[in-house]
């Protein structure tokens, strides 16, 4: 069994999934014209029937437009980096001239700098734009809810040859990761090169503490000890919770001839949903109380503190499940008065995670590779 310990950056996989999906996504034709109105509140672009059935104007903030000019003097299209510091943009800048033609907004600024904005780019990036949510809706995250069907599993399997050659197959695998938390590649070469090729098809590898690839067998069922205790069963866990940002994607491949290896997966997002329904206080505790995790690798001691259920900046959307009891340290990050709350929440959480309703078992045979979302899926070797 080979385990890609370095992992991948999850954001890049999601971005690729968006790109692969958008390539086959069709919309109604763009409007050939549309009036532009400049007021003190902003630039109003009215495009009836363009990209969206809504006839509401597209409201563009003038400073935002100038800040994100896409000309070669202001933006490097190869690296996606801005070239002009915001401090060089005049405060409360307003367009000198505007016009809309050929699906593009043309703006001339007071210093005679000229900017051109493609309508699709505006629709994708303006605040409240619908195109991002529309695309994501086609492969939104699915909760297993104890009923991950064989049909859903079959849709998560992609042939390695197709995956390497076809953008459509790559997109199918990545959409499965976004929607289900994992994808399965079949007919993968049982070599280090095959594993690395599968990973780098998505993005460059991030170095890990055990090298890019970690080989393990049935005698190494525990993430810390090389020999499990008698009768011990490995608990489901996320990897690298001792890092500020754990690897987003993990790859596991079966390489032994005539071997069968069962990986038990748990949907952390579904478990979090059920915890919230069952015990709102426990959910709030695991979402707000910082828990310290640590790991020592030779001379390096890695420590971080974060909530087990980590949300995005808005606080509304669950972003990451950072649960790994093996790495949880004894550090007193929680007042004594709240320890009962924390332990009650942890007990409820482990009961839900280890129940069969959130789990799915996948048998890996030689040549199969499992691509996991390490921010959603907890794994255990059976």
């Amino acid at each position: 069994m080979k385990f890609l310990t370095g992992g991948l950056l999850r954001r890049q996989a999601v971005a690729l999934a968006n790109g692969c999906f958008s390539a086959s996504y069709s919309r109604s034709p763009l409007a050939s014209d549309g009036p532009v109105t400049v007021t003190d509140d902003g630039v109003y672009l009215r495009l009836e029937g363009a990209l969206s059935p809504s006839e509401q104007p597209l409201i563009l903030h003038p400073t935002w437009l100038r800040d994100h000019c896409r000309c070669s003097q202001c933006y490097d299209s190869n690296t996606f980096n801005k070239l002009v510091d915001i401090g060089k943009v005049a405060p409360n800048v307003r367009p000198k001239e505007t016009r809309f033609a050929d699906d593009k907004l043309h703006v001339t600024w007071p210093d005679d700098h000229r900017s051109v904005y493609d309508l699709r780019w505006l629709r994708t990036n303006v605040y409240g734009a619908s195109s991002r949510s529309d695309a994501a809706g086609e492969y939104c995250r699915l909760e297993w809810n104890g009923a991950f069907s064989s049909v859903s599993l079959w849709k998560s399997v992609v042939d390695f040859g197709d995956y390497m050659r076809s953008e459509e197959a790559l997109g199918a695998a990545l959409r499965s990761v976004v929607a289900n938390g994992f994808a399965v590649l079949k007919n993968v070469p049982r070599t280090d090169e095959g594993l690395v090729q599968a990973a780098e098809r998505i993005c460059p590898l991030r170095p890990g503490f055990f090298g890019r690839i970690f080989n393990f067998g049935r005698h190494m069922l525990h993430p810390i000890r090389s020999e499990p205790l008698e009768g011990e069963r490995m608990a489901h866990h996320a990897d690298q919770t001792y890092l500020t940002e754990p690897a987003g994607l993990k790859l596991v491949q079966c390489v032994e001839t005539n071997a069968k290896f069962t990986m038990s997966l748990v949907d952390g997002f579904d478990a979090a949903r059920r915890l919230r329904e069952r015990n709102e206080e426990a959910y709030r505790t695991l979402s707000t109380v910082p828990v310290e995790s640590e790991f020592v690798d030779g001379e390096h001691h890695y420590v971080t503190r974060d909530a087990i259920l980590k949300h995005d900046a808005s606080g509304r959307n669950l972003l990451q499940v950072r649960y790994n009891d093996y790495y949880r340290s004894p550090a007193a990050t929680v007042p004594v008065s709240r320890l009962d709350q924390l332990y009650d929440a942890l007990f409820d959480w482990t009961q839900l995670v280890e129940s069969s309703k959130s789990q799915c078992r996948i048998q890996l045979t030689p040549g199969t590779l499992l691509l996991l979302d390490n921010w959603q899926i907890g794994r255990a070797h059976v």
Side-chain angles (χ1 to χ4, degrees), residues 2 11 18 28 30 79 114 123 141 148 155-156 173 178 180 201 222 224 265 267 277 284 301 304-305 311 325:
K2 292 183 183 292
R11 290 188 300 272
N18 277 308
S28 57
L30 297 177
T79 63
R114 296 184 179 182
R123 279 288 188 184
R141 189 182 300 278
F148 198 86
K155 289 182 177 180
S156 300
V178 173
N180 302 318
R201 180 76 167 101
H222 196 286
I224 308 301
L265 309 179
D267 183 354
E277 293 174 351
R284 188 181 307 111
H301 186 185
T304 191
R305 294 180 181 180
H311 292 69
D325 205 48

Side-chain angles (χ1 to χ4, degrees), residues 15-29:
L16 270 175
N18 277 308
C20 292
F21 179 77
S22 299
S24 60
Y25 195 70
S26 61
R27 294 184 180 272
S28 57

Side-chain angles (χ1 to χ4, degrees), residues 47-57 123:
L47 300 169
E48 298 183 3
L51 288 177
S52 169
S54 171
E55 296 184 0
Q56 295 297 317
R123 279 288 188 184

